[in-house]
Amino acid sequence: MSTTTEATQWHDVGEPDDFPDGAVWPVIAGGLPVAVFRQGESLHALHDLCTHGNARLSEGWIENGKVECPLHQGLFDICTGAACGEPATEDVRVFPIQIRDGRVEVAV
């Protein structure tokens, strides 16, 4: 299910229960790899690609609100996408995420 609003397209990626607390789940939204994170009641969506190297953040480690790249240990803030640990210096793209009609949607 997708709807279009001013060049933003929302893509259904699952049910809220598909995303366990403290974990990351890889999905495809609009043809792009997206890593969906749950922290308590909040869901966050980041581009599932480290900005430092060709690695999937969904395969990284999560701790204290950050995800660590599995290849080079660069850190990214799960909420903002900000690079906060070398060797990563470029922020990762953040996607809007919402729950509508009991479904999780990511806008790309």
Side-chain angles (χ1 to χ4, degrees), residues 14-80:
E15 298 179 358
D17 290 343
D18 292 340
F19 307 101
D21 189 19
V24 57
W25 200 260
V27 299
I28 300 295
L32 292 176
V34 176
V36 177
F37 300 84
R38 178 185 287 277
Q39 292 184 304
E41 294 300 313
S42 299
L43 289 170
H44 306 280
L46 301 178
H47 190 201
D48 194 8
L49 185 63
C50 178
T51 57
H52 174 260
N54 192 19
R56 295 180 61 177
L57 294 177
S58 62
E59 296 175 357
W61 295 271
I62 301 167
E63 188 173 0
N64 299 323
K66 295 178 179 46
V67 60
E68 181 179 300
C69 171
L71 289 183
H72 305 104
Q73 291 73 49
L75 290 175
F76 298 91
D77 185 282
I78 290 170
C79 297
T80 67

Side-chain angles (χ1 to χ4, degrees), residues 70-100:
L71 289 183
H72 305 104
Q73 291 73 49
L75 290 175
F76 298 91
D77 185 282
I78 290 170
C79 297
T80 67
C84 47
E86 299 257 342
T89 57
E90 183 180 335
D91 297 349
V92 69
R93 187 172 174 193
V94 176
F95 297 105
I97 192 165
Q98 68 180 8
I99 298 175
R100 186 170 56 159

